Amino acid sequence: MNTPAATGKHGPPPALILLFLILAGLAGNIFAPRLFMGFNYLFGSIAVLLILRIYGLRWSLVAAMVAASATLWLFHHPFAMLWLGLEPLFIGLLLRRRPEAPNLVLFSALYWTLVGVPLIFLFFLGVQGASLGGTLPAAMMYWLIGVTNALAASLLLNIRSFAGLLGLRKSLQTLSLRQVVFNLLMAAVVGPAILIMVLNGRIMETQSHDLALKHIEDMARLAPLEIEPAMGRNPQSDALQQALAALANSPGQGTIVSVKNTLGNILASSHPAMRPAGHSYNPFEGCEKIPVVPGIFQALPRGDIPIPLWQRVQRSSLVLEAPLPSAPAWVLVIELPLGPLKQRLLERQTFALALVLGLIVLALINALFFSRWLALPLLQLSQVTTNLPARISARARITYPQTRIAEVDRLIGNFKVMDEVLQDKFREITEAKETLEQRVQERTEELKYLATHDPLTHLPNRGLLLDRLSQALALQSRHGKKLGLLLLDLDNFKMVNDTLGHSTGDLLLQQVAHRLQEGVRQMDTVARLGGDEFVILAAEVESLDAMGKIAQKLLENFSAPFHLNGRELFITASLGITIHPDDGRQTDILLKNADTAMYQAKKLGKNTFQFFTREMDQRIRKRLDLETRLRRALERNEFLLHYQPQVELSSGRVTGVEGLLRWCKDGGEILVPPREFIPILEETGLIVPVGEWVLQTAVAQARQWELAGLAPLQLAVNISARQFYRESLPEKIHTILEQNGFSSSRLTLEITESILLQDTGESLSKLRTLKDMGINIAIDDFGTGYSSLAYLKRLPIDELKIDRVFVEGMTEDPKDAALIEAIIELARKLGMKVVAEGVETAEQLDFISRRGCEKVQGFFLSRPLPAAGVEELLKAHFPGGEDRVGWAGRRRDTL
């Protein structure tokens, strides 16, 4: 109740509304309209009750005190502030106790019955000294005013627009049907009853007033006729006194008729005790002189007298003052007290008030009963349908209310139908939920299985293998036994996928998994790492021989063909074996060692197994070290070129050089042999940027020799397979030649036979492009690869380079000599030149020259030299580019 209910979001600020209502309550009591008999309608409590509902008890008490302060003027006593101030306190406490049923009218009726009316009796009877006859209608009137004001406040709160204007919270704007019906029924009875009572009181008061005026006017006409004969010459005669008394008794009880002179002194009176002769008398002394009709005034006690207005009205009187026609110096004074008339009128009005109050009480009881009768089924329906889906879902029994109201009964019937529909829906939802939960559980188990197993072969995957391996390592360490790890990789599996398709490859992997499981012990674990790699975890291994037997058995299982979609396929495998704890104690180390051993088995020809050794690890580490250094070698400028001269045998001149890549590791201190790092460059793809550097550096150096005045040389550069198959190779070579101003006709690109055999269509297209640029093409290491004589006819080849393996044995092995002669003769017939490389003795040079070979290169003539060494060689022996002293012959004779 102390929490403000005004929001102020869509209306005036709450403080402004509160101030307005407080002032309205004060104005309602100050400008209280008069009903009848001096009673005023104090409607200030309407604003007080509104503040009670909107701003809470605290502010309503403040507003009640401010509004009740006006009663100081009405009652001339602060006691009225007590019963008006206690009303919001009483009702507020009841609202706190029963917030779910805020019935202001009922609570107000309880207050005025139990507290307000007793306080009013105490005030008027005990403090004011009023009569019971006057206090009773006052108590009933204020009871009626209090209940009516509560009804007005409740009706105002029922008006949504008014509640919204006051900024009332939506929760308080929401009304119950019972409250609305109660308020409407009460308004239908109370409004007309009060209106009829007020109109009837006004009519009765008017009639009584008119009757009093008629009586006093009649007396004014009769008085001169009765007084003049009796007064004679002596105004204090007994006859005048008797005439005035007779005249006063004729209209009714309490009328006083007096005669006074112009000075205001009483000459004679119908009540000498009240109006003694000789005394000065003014009938309006202490009263307000209110004109009623010409010559007649109402003497109303002044407002500063501490009595209520209705008591002042009862004590007032009608006064007529008029000179006697026969004696103008004498003034006739007729006083008609209104008290007896008002008392009779008050008695009649008290009876009417009692009837109205009885009617209102009956209406209150009837409204309570009827609103409950009408709203109870709806209330019960709202209660039983609260959280209806949850109750239906919980299969709770729902008892719907019964009523004789047709509309409500149809509403209840609709809820019953909805209940049945919801039960069916919930039954379907429950069944669907159970089905879904079952599927979720199955899917969860499937996901758990897939998280630890390979979906294709249903073998444990890498994660489960590592877990089992960790457990096995811990167990074996406690028991002191060895553990073996075998890593198996299928040989040439990529060819199966490329030729037969991935579906056939998947079928092969499934059959391989099945054979592996059949070839191991029950205690062992077979897992798939991925691709075509499998791991066998062998527990409790007695010796290396036992591991060898397991590996041999696995290889024997691969000797039988695999049946794949109606075709037989033979496939082999390579295995690497490592032992715990001999080769390592950690899972990642053991897997790495097994992988190292497996690759060693592949190098040894595949279809075999190898045990891991420390030498393998050292080789791998050395290779990894080289690979790491190679990746930084280019940016550190650790590569350099050496050039081996090529001598034309017919003239003995150096006509060309071959650029050979060298690597000076660790800042040039260590020269790494090409056979150690060239294969790594090929495998890692680093050969592409390094090859471009070789081509750029060699062309730039050849151009510098030309600019230095040396004879033009034919520059030979090796091109790797990765370089050759890059689409941008011709453009890259063209750019290098253009940048250096080097003639393409003096550039020879050396390629291997393997390049030509991989993709003859693409090779032919690219070779023709290079040939069209004017570049010479040479086949390097001819005769050592998978030679095909057909490509010699189709491809634009300029030179054949005889490999050193043939040159080394041609002077001792007739077969090598025959091959040399055949290659030279073949090249001559096809219009190609022949270069013999690896010439290291005079006998080899003599043999090759007699067979008609055009050019040679080798250590016998010159080792590969740095650029500066080549320049010195050329200047010393070929100052003009010609062999003036027969260098080649002298070199042969010297050696």
Side-chain angles (χ1 to χ4, degrees):
M1 287 296 299
N2 289 329
T3 302
T7 63
K9 291 182 179 179
H10 304 290
L16 184 61
I17 298 174
L18 176 62
L19 179 61
F20 170 77
L21 291 176
I22 292 175
L23 294 178
L26 178 63
N29 288 341
I30 292 177
F31 303 102
R34 182 172 175 272
L35 297 177
F36 54 83
M37 297 289 295
F39 292 109
N40 296 82
Y41 190 97
L42 304 176
F43 56 86
S45 62
I46 297 177
V48 173
L49 294 178
L50 288 176
I51 293 174
L52 175 64
R53 289 292 289 139
I54 298 174
Y55 295 95
L57 179 59
R58 183 185 308 168
W59 284 109
S60 68
L61 292 176
V62 174
M65 291 297 100
V66 173
S69 63
T71 60
L72 294 174
W73 172 76
L74 291 174
F75 300 110
H76 302 280
H77 199 283
F79 198 86
M81 297 180 65
L82 179 62
W83 76 66
L84 293 177
L86 288 177
E87 181 182 17
L89 177 62
F90 184 91
I91 297 176
L93 294 177
L94 288 179
L95 287 175
R96 280 186 177 180
R97 190 174 183 84
R98 300 196 62 186
E100 73 283 354
N103 195 326
L104 291 179
V105 178
L106 178 61
F107 294 167
S108 178
L110 290 175
Y111 167 75
W112 285 103
T113 302
L114 300 177
V115 180
V117 169
L119 288 176
I120 291 174
F121 273 100
L122 178 63
F123 172 67
F124 285 115
L125 293 177
V127 178
Q128 294 288 337
S131 64
L132 179 63
T135 302
L136 181 61
M140 290 190 292
M141 179 60 67
Y142 286 116
W143 186 97
L144 182 61
I145 291 173
V147 173
T148 305
N149 287 344
L151 178 61
S154 184
L155 288 173
L156 287 175
L157 290 174
N158 289 356
I159 302 174
R160 188 176 184 86
S161 59
F162 181 79
L165 178 64
L166 295 181
L168 193 63
R169 280 203 310 255
K170 289 187 177 180
S171 59
L172 295 179
Q173 293 183 30
T174 303
L175 304 173
S176 67
L177 176 63
R178 182 177 178 180
Q179 183 179 354
V180 172
V181 172
F182 176 85
N183 290 339
L184 292 178
L185 289 176
M186 287 297 297
V189 175
V190 173
I194 290 179
L195 181 61
I196 292 173
M197 183 193 68
V198 171
L199 292 177
N200 182 60
R202 287 288 185 89
I203 291 173
M204 292 172 60
E205 187 176 18
T206 301
Q207 290 177 350
S208 175
H209 198 267
D210 292 343
L211 180 62
L213 285 176
K214 185 176 181 300
H215 286 324
I216 200 170
E217 288 175 350
D218 291 343
M219 288 182 65
R221 287 192 299 269
L222 293 174
L225 300 178
E226 297 289 337
I227 292 174
E228 289 178 357
M231 89 179 159
R233 296 270 181 191
N234 185 5
Q236 297 181 353
S237 63
D238 294 337
L240 179 60
Q241 189 77 22
Q242 294 175 359
L244 292 177
L247 186 64
N249 291 331
S250 61
Q253 184 178 1
T255 305
I256 301 175
V257 181
S258 303
V259 176
K260 65 178 182 177
N261 57 25
T262 55
L263 297 177
N265 297 323
I266 296 296
L267 300 177
S269 175
S270 60
H271 287 75
M274 295 180 63
R275 308 287 187 265
H279 285 75
S280 176
Y281 172 69
N282 180 11
F284 298 104
E285 183 177 359
C287 297
E288 297 179 15
K289 186 177 180 180
I290 302 174
V292 179
V293 293
I296 300 177
F297 300 90
Q298 181 180 3
L300 181 68
R302 290 198 304 270
D304 55 357
I305 302 175
I307 58 174
L309 177 62
W310 62 271
Q311 288 184 337
R312 291 169 55 202
V313 172
Q314 281 189 325
R315 297 180 185 183
S316 66
S317 59
L318 291 180
V319 178
L320 181 145
E321 284 186 325
L324 291 173
S326 58
W330 292 359
V331 179
L332 175 65
V333 180
I334 302 176
E335 298 176 71
L336 179 61
L338 295 178
L341 294 174
K342 296 295 183 181
Q343 186 64 34
R344 289 193 297 272
L345 180 61
L346 193 60
E347 291 174 357
R348 294 171 59 187
Q349 195 64 22
T350 300
F351 179 74
L353 275 172
L355 290 178
V356 171
L357 254 63
L359 180 62
I360 291 177
V361 171
L362 290 177
L364 179 64
I365 297 173
N366 181 65
L368 286 172
F369 171 78
F370 187 77
S371 62
R372 177 179 175 81
W373 174 76
L374 181 62
L376 182 60
L378 294 176
L379 176 62
Q380 294 174 344
L381 180 62
S382 66
Q383 291 174 347
V384 300
T385 55
T386 300
N387 295 327
L388 182 61
R391 299 180 66 183
I392 295 175
S393 177
R395 292 183 169 87
R397 182 178 180 181
I398 302 175
T399 303
Y400 289 93
Q402 296 180 351
T403 181
R404 298 180 62 185
I405 304 174
E407 292 79 4
V408 179
D409 187 62
R410 282 197 297 269
L411 180 61
I412 295 173
N414 294 337
F415 271 97
K416 289 181 179 179
V417 173
M418 184 176 66
D419 185 353
E420 296 174 356
V421 173
L422 286 177
Q423 287 184 6
D424 294 338
K425 293 297 182 183
F426 272 108
R427 192 177 300 109
E428 295 175 1
I429 293 174
T430 302
E431 294 174 355
K433 179 183 177 182
E434 293 174 353
T435 303
L436 180 60
E437 289 178 349
Q438 182 179 0
R439 291 181 179 177
V440 169
Q441 184 177 1
E442 293 174 354
R443 184 59 177 166
T444 302
E445 294 175 356
E446 180 182 352
L447 291 176
K448 289 181 179 178
Y449 179 82
L450 292 177
T452 57
H453 289 77
D454 174 50
L456 178 63
T457 62
H458 300 289
L459 294 176
N461 59 12
R462 185 184 186 92
L464 183 55
L465 170 67
L466 293 176
D467 181 64
R468 291 186 180 180
L469 181 56
S470 299
Q471 295 179 13
L473 291 177
L475 184 63
Q476 299 299 337
S477 298
R478 289 197 297 268
H479 294 287
K481 294 186 178 181
K482 296 182 182 295
L483 181 145
L485 198 66
L486 297 88
L487 194 149
L488 179 147
D489 186 87
L490 299 181
D491 298 329
N492 303 318
F493 178 73
K494 184 176 183 301
M495 186 180 298
V496 176
N497 275 336
D498 292 343
T499 57
L500 302 181
H502 288 275
S503 59
T504 303
D506 291 344
L507 183 59
L508 173 61
L509 292 174
Q510 291 172 343
Q511 293 188 18
V512 168
H514 181 68
R515 289 194 186 184
L516 291 177
Q517 288 178 308
E518 290 180 342
V520 299
R521 299 169 300 176
Q522 188 174 2
M523 69 176 68
D524 299 335
T525 298
V526 180
R528 182 187 177 201
L529 285 186
D532 59 341
E533 286 188 339
F534 297 85
V535 173
I536 296 91
L537 173 60
E540 299 182 4
V541 177
E542 299 294 339
S543 63
L544 294 180
D545 291 340
M547 286 299 301
K549 290 179 180 179
I550 295 175
Q552 188 61 42
K553 183 179 179 181
L554 292 174
L555 291 177
E556 290 174 357
N557 286 346
F558 279 81
S559 61
F562 292 88
H563 297 278
L564 308 173
N565 297 326
R567 95 173 52 230
E568 287 188 347
L569 178 66
F570 289 90
I571 195 165
T572 60
S574 300
L575 287 83
I577 306 172
T578 186
I579 303 296
H580 169 272
D582 301 346
D583 300 332
R585 296 179 178 273
Q586 298 178 352
T587 56
D588 54 343
I589 297 297
L590 292 173
L591 284 172
K592 178 182 72 68
N593 292 344
D595 187 68
T596 300
M598 182 270 295
Y599 275 106
Q600 183 63 25
K602 284 189 176 292
K603 288 183 179 180
L604 295 178
K606 304 178 181 179
N607 193 26
T608 186
F609 64 88
Q610 283 289 306
F611 285 94
F612 172 78
T613 63
R614 296 298 175 186
E615 291 74 14
M616 291 182 188
D617 186 56
Q618 292 174 0
R619 287 197 298 269
I620 293 297
R621 290 178 182 274
K622 182 178 179 182
R623 173 188 167 85
L624 291 175
D625 179 68
L626 286 177
E627 181 178 336
T628 302
R629 292 173 179 270
L630 278 172
R631 293 185 181 276
R632 297 290 183 89
L634 188 59
E635 61 185 50
R636 293 178 179 176
N637 297 320
E638 294 180 354
F639 290 117
L640 57 89
L641 288 183
H642 283 188
Y643 303 90
Q644 188 171 38
Q646 293 179 345
V647 178
E648 186 181 55
L649 292 177
S650 61
S651 63
R653 298 173 56 249
V654 177
T655 59
V657 292
E658 179 183 1
L660 300 174
L661 181 64
R662 296 293 183 264
W663 178 25
C664 293
K665 189 173 65 172
D666 297 332
E669 296 180 1
I670 303 174
L671 193 63
V672 183
R675 65 178 178 273
E676 293 187 10
F677 72 86
I678 294 295
I680 299 177
L681 290 177
E682 292 278 0
E683 293 176 11
T684 59
L686 293 173
I687 192 65
V688 174
V690 173
E692 292 179 0
W693 177 85
V694 169
L695 187 60
Q696 171 69 38
T697 304
V699 170
Q701 183 59 57
R703 180 57 178 162
Q704 286 182 9
W705 287 331
E706 289 183 3
L707 296 176
L710 299 179
L713 298 175
Q714 190 70 26
L715 176 64
V717 178
N718 289 279
I719 297 296
S720 69
R722 287 180 179 268
Q723 281 182 282
F724 184 80
Y725 285 109
R726 290 177 70 88
E727 295 182 359
S728 60
L729 177 63
E731 291 80 5
K732 184 70 68 176
I733 294 175
H734 178 74
T735 301
I736 293 174
L737 295 175
E738 285 288 331
Q739 289 177 348
N740 293 279
F742 191 71
S743 173
S744 59
S745 61
R746 291 200 296 277
L747 176 63
T748 299
L749 298 181
E750 297 185 0
I751 60 177
T752 60
E753 293 176 289
S754 59
I755 295 177
L756 303 176
L757 295 177
Q758 288 183 12
D759 190 344
T760 56
E762 183 179 351
S763 300
L764 177 60
S765 175
K766 188 158 293 184
L767 287 176
R768 286 179 176 172
T769 300
L770 295 172
K771 192 64 180 174
D772 292 340
M773 294 169 59
I775 299 173
N776 297 296
I777 307 298
I779 303 299
D780 196 16
D781 301 332
F782 180 76
T784 58
Y786 296 95
S787 300
S788 173
L789 299 180
Y791 72 76
L792 294 178
K793 181 182 68 173
R794 293 188 294 107
L795 300 179
I797 299 172
D798 300 290
E799 291 182 0
L800 296 180
K801 296 191 69 175
I802 302 174
D803 191 77
R804 66 177 64 248
V805 297
F806 300 117
V807 175
E808 288 176 355
M810 65 183 177
T811 58
E812 298 176 359
D813 189 347
K815 293 181 179 179
D816 287 339
L819 288 173
I820 292 290
E821 292 175 354
I823 293 173
I824 294 173
E825 184 64 23
L826 176 65
R828 184 181 296 114
K829 295 290 183 65
L830 294 176
M832 302 176 187
K833 295 180 180 181
V834 178
V835 180
E837 54 183 356
V839 176
E840 298 182 355
T841 64
E843 290 79 8
Q844 292 173 353
L845 179 60
D846 182 67
F847 180 89
I848 203 74
S849 62
R850 284 198 297 267
R851 298 302 186 275
C853 182
E854 284 86 356
K855 292 190 294 184
V856 295
Q857 67 182 83
F859 284 5
F860 177 73
L861 299 175
S862 175
R863 290 178 176 273
L865 302 172
V870 173
E871 187 172 348
E872 292 177 1
L873 175 66
L874 293 178
K875 289 181 178 180
H877 298 283
F878 313 99
E882 298 179 358
D883 187 5
R884 302 183 186 274
V885 294
W887 175 76
R890 292 196 303 273
R891 177 65 173 165
R892 179 181 62 223
D893 294 341
T894 302
L895 296 176

